[in-house]
Amino acid sequence: MTPVIEFAGVSKWYGPVLGLRDVSLRLAPGITGLLGPNGAGKSTLLKCMTGEVRPSRGEVRLFGRVVPYDDVFRRVGYAPEIETFFEELTAREFVTHLAVLAGYDGAEAARRAEAVLIRVGLAQALDRPLATYSKGMRQRTKLAQAMVHDPELILLDEPMTGLDPLARAQIVTLIQSLGAEGRTVLVSSHILDEVETMTREIVVLYQGQLLAQGNLHAIRDLIDRHPHHIVLTASDPRALGAALARLECVTAVRFDGADRLEVETRAPDACYAAIPRVATETGVKVRSLTSPDDNLSAVFRYLTTGARGAA
Amino acid sequence: MSAVLAVAKVSLLRAVRRPSTWWLSALAFVPALLGGWMGALGHGAMSVGAPLLIDVAAPLLAVPWVAGALGEVFERRVAVYWFTRPVPRWAPLLGEWLGATAALSLVLVLGGAMLAVADALTGSATIGSLFRLPAAMITEAAALAGLCIGVAALAPKHPVSVSIAVLAVTEAALPGLWAPMQSISLSRQVGTLAGVDPGASIGSLAGTAPSPSTLTAALVIALFCAVPMGLGARAVIDRDLG
Amino acid sequence: MSAMVPPPNDRSAAAPRGEVHSLSYSRYAGPRRPRSAVPWVVARYAWRVQLRQRGVKVLLLLGGGVLAISGAVLGFAWSVPGMTGGGEADPVRAAEAQAIASSLEAQFIPGFLLVLWCGAGAVAADLNAGAFQFHFARPVSAQGYLVGRVLSGAGLAFALSFATLAVLCAERLAFGSTPLRMALTFAVGAALVTARATLLGVVAAGLSSLTRRKGLAQAMFAAVVFASSFVTRIVAAASDKPWVRALGLSGCVDARAAQWHGTAGLHGALAAVPLLACIGWGVVGAALAWWRVSRAEVMRG
């Protein structure tokens, strides 16, 4: 099956500045988070897909065809990170205009524009000039114009920037619904929590290079250079800790307060399997078991720290 | 074609809603007022007003109106909304040109018509001159719109200053240095179409070149429009936009 | 324990034994630039930025070309006896006047374009970028800022005209003018070149402060320069009133130059028109800029 997005050895230089370095990746339908710190090359990666910038080397394919070609934009919706529009227009006029450019006749474009603006929560402000819009309303308008022509692939560059928590939750729900409809959604962000709430599929860029790609857990499992931490609250942490310390998979045990202990391991799966057995054998009651590492922040920290160390 | 018309329509709508458009438009009527006044004093409305309209008012109206506005669209990257639609990249430029030409023509034709009427009321204008100047203003509007759009696409960070620099060179510096270079002056060619004495408009150190024919004038005006537009279109097709 | 004392400014001095230095905040007590240096600081920074821009380099190159051509053409004309000033009672004086007129006229387009590029949008760009708060959060007065903006806007245009004047005056010395007369010509020329650049800079700053849109400010400046010149020229020719030409932004300085040469044709009360026009343009430009900048919405101490 042809991947929706395919990068083959793509590099991009802006004069002496390196934007992307030999990036090769393939993405299938669903929501994917594009992660990386500021300046990692996220926007350049998206711009390469929309033809805004041309790769200095390599090629980008969307739906199996090398971009840029005009017709691909029938199937692609793009919300750039810029905050400006044709400020003199209303949201309805702006989105209708872009729908007309996507090939719909005036009446159909107007109908679609209204529907999509209502879907993103701008029903009350359809006919207000865009110049009067707040940051949150601008983000919604960008989403609306990206969705108005019902594209299969939606590229969202920092769609949650400047939004309040309530608006963020609404946009996350909206993006999740787009993914659930079977579309391919690529969301760039440097805020890990918001990506984590949307998807477990990630692409991590760092200093223009592809650092990791795939499922969050699978990536975590691949990071065997870094020890994994498991935090337990138990009725007798010292007894449990002493028993766990005898396991081959456990590299260290630390006690934190009266009822907490932290276990360090390089074989998380084996350790997770052993903990219930040891608890039963020692008769210690385990009240909670969490891992501070089993989230995107930790994975990202490990990956980027590793890359920096390697550099 | 529908994409071009859609961009033209939105271009007109945006122009109408910008407050600066309205007070810039007032510039087109100053020559008629001044011409009418001078005509009433017996100095000839057309000889004063037409060069002012063709040489000064029209370019100074077109540059901020067209180059300034489109330059902002490129510099702030709003153009990305056009270029991520299934239309060729030259289509939005053509649409902008169409919209700008229509808006500029409307204002300049009105200004020209007012001047022609002032000339008719205060002098001995023929019926033909009532139509000739407004018609010439349409060609100037189209040429200036082409120049400004081309410059905005080529130099999006400095569209106004580069447009004014180009006009200062083609309209004042080069024609003032060497008479044959007057043929590259847009205002001189438009003056020929309008039937206005070009000697009145160009303060040349090198004398005045013979008046070009209508055909030559039309050709130069067309090139004035087409060359920058072509270069601008090529820039947006070939160049990185981000 | 010994008393807490601030760290010594002179670090080379050995600290006395048994003293504890306070590492808390202590106000800088060293020398500071006087407030009168603010315009130079604003202007110097702007010049550094301008000289890195490709457009400015192109315009300076154009101005350099004009200088070279003017120098060559006039040098050739002055080297051939009777080629210039033939009809004048005093051909040497005519040639000296030509040196001044050339430095004003030949550099008008490059100078205008430099002011357009560097000065006509400067205050508008600051307004748009919210840069006022960076300027006025420091001990920078509105006057200091504006003088700096006028200097930075007109500085390069002035340099071009001044260089042309210097080259042409040096050439005149080689072609028979006496040093004393050339010194007088140079002084008058320098005053006129300064007046032209200052007027362009002040009007550019004034118009630039009326809007946040740099392009619009630049267009307004071009409109004022060209429309005033064009209208006054046409009206003067049509109504046979040469003093009207002296009302234009560029015409007023040209008329002052012609007055020095004695060819202005303005007599009696009309002789004051060029000077009054120069003052009028300057006052209007400065008043516009002052009115807008002094009302800038920034926190003032």
Side-chain angles (χ1 to χ4, degrees):
Chain A
M1 188 181 148
T2 310
V4 178
I5 299 170
E6 186 175 6
F7 277 64
V10 172
S11 296
K12 175 66 189 172
W13 290 275
Y14 297 100
V17 178
L18 188 68
L20 288 177
R21 192 161 104 192
D22 198 23
V23 172
S24 295
L25 65 89
R26 294 154 74 96
L27 292 181
I31 302 174
T32 304
L34 177 58
L35 294 167
N38 290 330
K42 304 187 295 292
S43 292
T44 302
L45 191 95
L46 291 173
K47 284 177 187 173
C48 281
M49 282 186 251
T50 60
E52 268 191 276
V53 300
R54 323 257 164 134
S56 309
R57 190 187 290 167
E59 59 182 31
V60 181
R61 289 170 180 270
L62 297 184
F63 305 105
R65 285 191 61 183
V66 176
V67 289
Y69 69 101
D70 300 331
D71 226 36
V72 76
F73 295 116
R74 288 188 198 285
R75 304 170 74 179
V76 177
Y78 174 46
E81 86 279 24
I82 52 165
E83 295 293 329
T84 43
F85 305 107
F86 298 122
E87 302 287 324
E88 303 88 354
L89 303 182
T90 65
R92 188 201 293 272
E93 287 164 344
F94 177 67
V95 179
T96 303
H97 171 55
L98 295 175
V100 169
L101 291 185
Y104 298 103
D105 64 43
E108 175 64 10
R111 191 192 64 72
R112 282 177 167 271
E114 183 171 330
V116 78
L117 283 164
I118 290 170
R119 186 177 177 191
V120 298
L122 288 172
Q124 306 299 316
L126 289 176
D127 295 312
R128 258 174 61 185
L130 288 164
T132 65
Y133 269 31
S134 67
K135 199 155 190 170
M137 295 164 92
R138 284 170 184 267
Q139 292 287 17
R140 289 165 196 264
T141 309
K142 282 197 293 186
L143 274 174
Q145 65 78 32
M147 292 157 54
V148 69
H149 52 299
D150 206 15
E152 295 161 66
L153 168 62
I154 299 180
L155 308 171
L156 306 174
D157 199 352
E158 309 273 2
M160 250 84 76
T161 305
L163 294 182
D164 60 55
L166 185 65
R168 275 177 193 227
Q170 289 169 345
I171 298 289
V172 166
T173 308
L174 181 66
I175 293 171
Q176 282 170 332
S177 72
L178 292 172
E181 287 165 9
R183 300 174 209 262
T184 306
V185 185
L186 184 60
V187 191
S188 93
S189 179
H190 58 269
I191 301 168
L192 308 175
D193 294 344
E194 67 190 26
V195 172
E196 202 172 7
T197 55
M198 280 183 257
T199 182
R200 307 296 278 180
E201 292 296 322
I202 58 167
V203 170
V204 183
L205 287 179
Y206 187 69
Q207 292 182 344
Q209 296 173 85
L210 182 64
L211 200 56
Q213 186 202 344
N215 184 275
L216 179 61
H217 297 299
I219 291 171
R220 180 64 198 81
D221 290 343
L222 290 171
I223 308 170
D224 52 2
R225 312 176 28 185
H226 296 278
H228 187 92
H229 298 92
I230 302 166
V231 175
L232 298 138
T233 51
S235 56
D236 186 354
R238 295 203 171 268
L240 183 62
L244 286 172
R246 284 194 285 275
L247 297 177
E248 207 170 282
C249 59
V250 172
T251 51
V253 175
R254 275 185 287 275
F255 299 99
D256 179 15
D259 61 348
R260 275 166 62 96
L261 85 154
E262 187 177 317
V263 177
E264 190 179 293
T265 174
R266 288 185 185 277
D269 290 343
C271 197
Y272 280 119
I275 287 171
R277 179 172 50 80
V278 174
T280 309
E281 286 168 8
T282 53
V284 177
K285 197 179 282 177
V286 175
R287 284 196 287 271
S288 73
L289 183 150
T290 56
S291 170
D293 294 346
D294 201 18
N295 62 43
L296 198 45
S297 299
V299 170
F300 190 71
R301 193 171 61 244
Y302 287 153
L303 287 171
T304 53
T305 310
R308 208 176 292 133
Chain B
M1 195 58 199
S2 68
V4 172
L5 291 176
V7 174
K9 185 180 148 196
V10 163
S11 168
L12 259 174
L13 196 61
R14 285 166 46 222
V16 167
R17 289 192 186 156
R18 272 194 300 271
S20 60
T21 300
W22 292 93
W23 61 262
L24 277 171
S25 300
L27 203 63
F29 302 102
V30 172
L33 294 175
L34 193 70
W37 178 42
M38 296 307 286
L41 295 175
H43 301 304
M46 197 58 90
S47 64
V48 173
L52 188 61
L53 180 65
I54 294 169
D55 292 19
V56 181
L60 293 176
L61 177 64
V63 168
W65 192 340
V66 184
L70 188 62
E72 238 168 59
V73 165
F74 280 112
E75 201 194 351
R76 296 184 174 188
R77 280 190 60 218
V78 182
V80 74
Y81 292 112
W82 284 333
F83 298 137
T84 49
R85 303 287 142 181
V87 293
R89 282 192 177 184
W90 51 262
L93 285 195
L94 197 59
E96 277 284 309
W97 175 77
L98 211 57
T101 301
L104 273 175
S105 294
L106 188 69
V107 174
L108 292 176
V109 164
L110 277 175
M114 271 180 68
L115 178 60
V117 168
D119 190 41
L121 292 175
T122 59
S124 55
T126 60
I127 293 289
S129 72
L130 283 172
F131 298 100
R132 212 169 163 189
L133 181 62
M137 295 321 294
I138 296 177
T139 63
E140 186 170 18
L144 285 169
L147 170 78
C148 292
I149 284 168
V151 169
L154 288 165
K157 285 190 176 165
H158 306 283
V160 170
S161 40
V162 173
S163 299
I164 291 174
V166 170
L167 287 167
V169 170
T170 61
E171 304 305 302
L174 292 179
L177 275 178
W178 189 33
M181 293 303 277
Q182 288 172 13
S183 55
I184 65 161
S185 160
L186 174 68
S187 55
R188 182 178 158 82
Q189 309 302 342
V190 173
T192 302
L193 293 185
V196 177
D197 172 23
S201 59
I202 296 172
S204 172
L205 296 172
T208 304
S211 275
S213 67
T214 304
L215 188 65
T216 311
L219 187 68
V220 172
I221 292 170
L223 285 175
F224 209 93
C225 173
V227 171
M229 275 282 284
L231 292 173
R234 198 180 155 165
V236 294
I237 290 168
D238 291 345
R239 198 177 58 189
D240 282 354
L241 302 166
Chain C
M1 192 177 158
S2 62
M4 299 278 270
V5 294
N9 281 332
D10 183 5
R11 290 180 180 273
S12 62
R17 294 174 95 193
E19 254 184 13
V20 176
H21 293 292
S22 166
L23 296 180
S24 62
Y25 170 75
S26 65
R27 194 167 175 271
Y28 172 72
R32 288 174 191 261
R33 290 176 194 275
R35 282 198 174 203
S36 57
V38 163
W40 287 108
V41 176
V42 173
R44 270 208 313 268
Y45 174 74
W47 284 328
R48 269 206 296 273
V49 173
Q50 288 162 12
L51 288 171
R52 280 190 222 127
Q53 294 175 350
R54 198 186 303 165
V56 172
K57 287 177 189 167
V58 169
L59 290 174
L60 286 175
L61 210 62
L62 177 71
V66 169
L67 192 163
I69 292 169
S70 307
V73 169
L74 285 177
F76 174 72
W78 289 334
S79 67
V80 180
M83 194 165 173
T84 56
E88 301 274 342
D90 184 352
V92 175
R93 184 168 162 75
E96 287 162 2
Q98 208 172 22
I100 294 179
S102 294
S103 50
L104 286 173
E105 286 169 13
Q107 292 292 8
F108 178 70
I109 295 281
F112 158 73
L113 291 176
L114 274 169
V115 176
L116 179 82
W117 191 289
C118 302
V123 182
D126 279 352
L127 275 166
N128 192 41
F132 273 17
Q133 56 189 301
F134 294 111
H135 283 106
F136 298 133
R138 283 159 181 76
V140 174
S141 64
Q143 299 99 304
Y145 166 79
L146 278 176
V147 173
R149 279 282 168 249
V150 171
L151 279 174
S152 63
L156 296 180
F158 166 77
L160 267 186
S161 290
F162 192 80
T164 308
L165 177 73
V167 167
L168 295 181
C169 284
E171 274 191 81
R172 274 310 306 157
L173 270 179
F175 290 116
S177 291
T178 63
L180 190 65
R181 286 187 62 149
M182 270 331 294
L184 180 66
T185 303
F186 185 74
V188 170
L192 290 168
V193 160
T194 308
R196 159 72 58 79
T198 308
L199 282 185
L200 287 178
V202 168
V203 171
L207 293 170
S208 166
S209 61
L210 295 181
T211 173
R212 286 171 182 273
R213 290 171 62 188
K214 186 178 162 189
L216 196 56
Q218 289 173 321
M220 284 196 294
F221 175 64
V224 166
V225 172
F226 283 117
S228 73
S229 157
F230 210 89
V231 169
T232 53
R233 202 173 75 208
I234 286 180
V235 171
S239 60
D240 199 22
K241 293 187 172 84
W243 62 269
V244 175
R245 278 194 81 158
L247 294 175
L249 179 54
S250 59
C252 60
V253 180
D254 292 337
R256 284 295 293 163
Q259 277 182 318
W260 180 74
H261 185 211
T263 56
L266 301 176
H267 307 288
L270 290 179
V273 169
L275 182 62
L276 289 176
C278 286
I279 294 170
W281 281 112
V283 167
V284 168
L288 281 178
W290 171 250
W291 172 77
R292 182 66 187 85
V293 174
S294 62
R295 276 158 184 74
E297 289 176 359
V298 290
M299 298 295 287
R300 306 297 295 270

